């Protein structure tokens, strides 16, 4: 591995962010080979970097970029002190960090990577990513609720509000598309309007969907998908919209004459998929995570992939044991 700046090395170890690393260095809490580092110091894995006498390490890994269909009951964090976290469940050899916000009880698209730069950038520009959610609330809602929700999530372009697209799927369930710049605090907005969210599924982020990705399974991102995310993460705010690779027009469509499941799917026009046919092809590694264990209380001592296919009630089969845990920073939750 090429030498890297000290603050990036500390960040890549999962100990803290670069900004926090800079503060620790200024406070004299970081040593390199037993000595206080000079400004601009670069280090390699051969150097002994310590923070408050805690030895840090960064593995020389190839970049990994995954998308997981996160099931309910898993915490979207890399903190091994948190039970049933997604990193332990995935059991990937790379030192992964989750990207974005998704509560333990929520499901859907979740990115993970060992590229700390991309993790940090995407976390910072989270509301620039277009997202599609299916949300269930605790009681039937009216058209007035839909209108107020759409207005509450609106973004402003040239001083003019752009409302969120909200489509009713049942008396208590709706689908919403959140474009860049819109408020993503769906649960708080629903609560302010007098409703409690009982289920939330993130079915799409940009052009990346859950298509052919079973609950609890993951795959590597395709090159076009990754390039799109990198463009958005690196774009300046005023250019972020133009960095989107595939803008889409979402329109409801009729679903008459179909069964209930088909009707729910047919009530909304799905986006085109990029690389969907390649999900199981060469170079697209497919995996599945270990299920959340109810009442486990601790994540120590168990990692691995589940055996058997997931069903509506969870996963079948057992998981490997005995692999060492990895530390990491906690992800924020929606």
């Amino acid at each position: 591995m090429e030498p890297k700046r000290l603050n990036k090395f500390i960040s890549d170890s999962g100990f803290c962010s670069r900004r926090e690393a800079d503060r620790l260095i200024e406070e004299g809490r970081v040593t390199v080979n037993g000595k206080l580092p000079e400004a601009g110091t670069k280090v390699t894995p051969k150097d002994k970097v310590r923070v408050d006498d805690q030895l840090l390490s960064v593995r020389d890994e190839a970049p990994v970029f995954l998308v997981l269909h996160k099931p309910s009951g898993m915490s979207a964090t890399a903190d091994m002190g948190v039970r049933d976290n997604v990193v332990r469940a995935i059991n990937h050899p790379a030192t992964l960090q989750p990207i974005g916000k998704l509560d333990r009880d929520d499901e859907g698209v979740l990115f993970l990577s060992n590229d700390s730069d991309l993790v940090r950038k995407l976390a910072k520009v989270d509301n620039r990513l277009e997202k599609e959610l299916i949300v269930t609330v605790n009681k039937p809602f009216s058209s007035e609720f839909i209108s107020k929700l759409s207005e509450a999530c609106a973004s402003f372009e040239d001083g003019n509000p752009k409302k969120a697209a909200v489509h009713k799927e049942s008396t208590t369930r709706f689908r919403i598309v959140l474009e860049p710049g819109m408020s993503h605090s769906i649960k708080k907005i629903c609560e302010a309007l007098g409703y409690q969210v009982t289920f939330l599924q993130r079915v799409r982020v940009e052009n990346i969907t859950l298509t052919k990705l079973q609950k609890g399974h993951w795959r590597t991102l395709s090159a076009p998908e990754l390039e799109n995310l990198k463009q958005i993460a690196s774009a300046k705010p005023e250019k972020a919209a133009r960095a989107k690779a595939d803008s889409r027009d979402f329109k409801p469509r009729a679903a008459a004459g179909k069964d209930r499941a088909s009707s729910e799917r047919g009530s909304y026009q799905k986006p085109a998929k990029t690389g969907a046919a390649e999900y199981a092809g060469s170079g697209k590694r497919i995996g599945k995570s270990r299920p959340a264990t109810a009442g486990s209380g601790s994540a120590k001592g168990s990692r691995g992939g589940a055996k058997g296919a997931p069903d509506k009630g969870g996963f079948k089969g057992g998981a490997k044991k005995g692999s060492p845990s990895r530390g990491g920073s906690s992800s924020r939750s929606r």
Side-chain angles (χ1 to χ4, degrees):
M1 183 174 70
E2 294 293 324
K4 61 177 65 177
R5 294 183 66 87
L6 181 55
N7 60 352
K8 187 176 189 308
F9 183 94
I10 296 173
S11 175
D12 288 350
S13 73
F15 187 87
C16 63
S17 66
R18 279 200 198 183
R19 181 175 297 181
E20 180 67 12
D22 286 333
R23 185 180 67 80
L24 295 174
I25 294 171
E26 291 176 0
E27 293 176 355
R29 296 170 59 184
V30 179
T31 61
V32 178
N33 301 322
K35 299 179 181 178
L36 292 176
E38 298 179 356
T41 294
K42 293 187 176 181
V43 296
T44 69
K46 295 181 179 180
D47 293 305
K48 296 186 181 301
V49 178
R50 288 184 169 85
V51 177
D52 297 334
D53 293 329
Q54 178 179 338
L55 183 63
L56 307 183
S57 63
V58 175
R59 289 187 288 178
D60 189 6
E61 300 175 339
V64 174
F65 308 95
L66 307 180
V67 56
L68 166 72
H69 184 166
K70 182 186 112 47
S72 175
M74 280 187 185
S75 178
T77 180
D79 186 347
M80 289 301 165
V82 176
R83 64 181 177 85
D84 303 324
N85 66 80
V86 294
V87 172
R88 186 187 298 279
I90 285 178
N91 192 33
H92 195 283
T95 310
L96 298 174
Q97 297 179 57
I99 306 173
K101 313 167 187 177
L102 207 57
D103 284 346
R104 179 183 287 274
D105 293 334
D106 298 341
E107 299 181 356
V109 175
L110 181 69
F111 301 131
L112 300 101
S113 178
N114 61 349
D115 185 328
S116 60
D117 286 337
L118 182 64
V119 171
R120 186 182 66 258
K121 287 179 180 179
L122 283 178
K124 187 176 181 179
V125 300
D126 184 66
N127 73 334
R128 292 187 199 169
L129 299 172
E130 183 172 290
K131 300 171 186 175
E132 182 179 347
L133 312 174
I134 295 177
V135 183
T136 302
V137 292
N138 62 331
K139 57 185 178 181
F141 53 78
S142 63
S143 57
E144 183 181 7
F145 166 79
I146 293 291
S147 179
K148 288 183 177 180
L149 176 65
S150 179
E151 292 176 357
C153 295
S155 62
F156 291 83
E157 298 178 358
D158 300 325
N160 299 315
K162 184 175 183 180
K163 299 179 182 180
V166 185
H167 301 278
K168 181 178 180 179
E169 296 209 333
S170 74
T171 57
T172 58
R173 185 174 66 250
F174 61 87
R175 185 184 296 255
I176 183 169
V177 176
L178 299 173
E179 297 186 14
M182 291 184 175
S183 172
H184 290 190
S185 302
I186 297 300
K187 290 185 177 180
K188 291 182 179 179
I189 293 174
C190 287
E191 184 175 351
L193 295 174
Y195 294 80
Q196 295 292 329
V197 172
T198 59
F199 176 77
L200 185 149
Q201 183 182 44
R202 188 159 64 196
V203 296
R204 178 176 64 86
V205 176
E206 288 297 314
N207 59 343
I208 303 167
T209 72
L210 298 177
T211 302
K212 295 188 178 181
L213 196 59
Q214 297 180 47
K215 190 181 300 184
H217 288 232
W218 54 265
R219 67 172 176 83
T220 55
L221 290 172
S222 67
E225 290 170 339
L226 180 58
E227 181 60 27
N228 185 34
L229 292 177
K230 287 185 174 180
Q231 287 181 14
I232 295 172
S234 301
K236 294 181 179 180
E238 63 272 15
K239 297 181 180 180
R242 283 180 289 178
K244 292 167 58 60
D246 296 307
S247 60
R248 289 168 173 79
D249 182 22
F250 295 86
K251 297 179 180 179
R253 64 183 180 186
K258 298 183 179 181
D259 58 27
R260 182 172 181 179
S262 298
S263 176
E264 292 171 2
R265 292 192 298 268
S267 64
Y268 196 77
Q269 179 65 52
K270 294 183 180 180
K273 287 85 177 176
T274 298
E278 301 175 337
Y279 285 5
S282 175
K284 302 294 184 292
R285 183 179 177 186
I286 302 295
K288 55 185 176 181
S289 60
R290 183 181 62 81
T293 304
S296 61
S298 172
K300 295 182 179 179
S302 61
R303 288 173 49 201
K307 297 179 180 179
D311 55 22
K312 293 182 180 179
F315 293 79
K316 300 178 181 178
K320 298 177 183 178
K321 297 183 178 181
S323 299
S325 63
R326 299 189 298 270
S329 59
S330 179
S331 171
R332 297 174 297 175
S333 295
R334 184 184 301 280

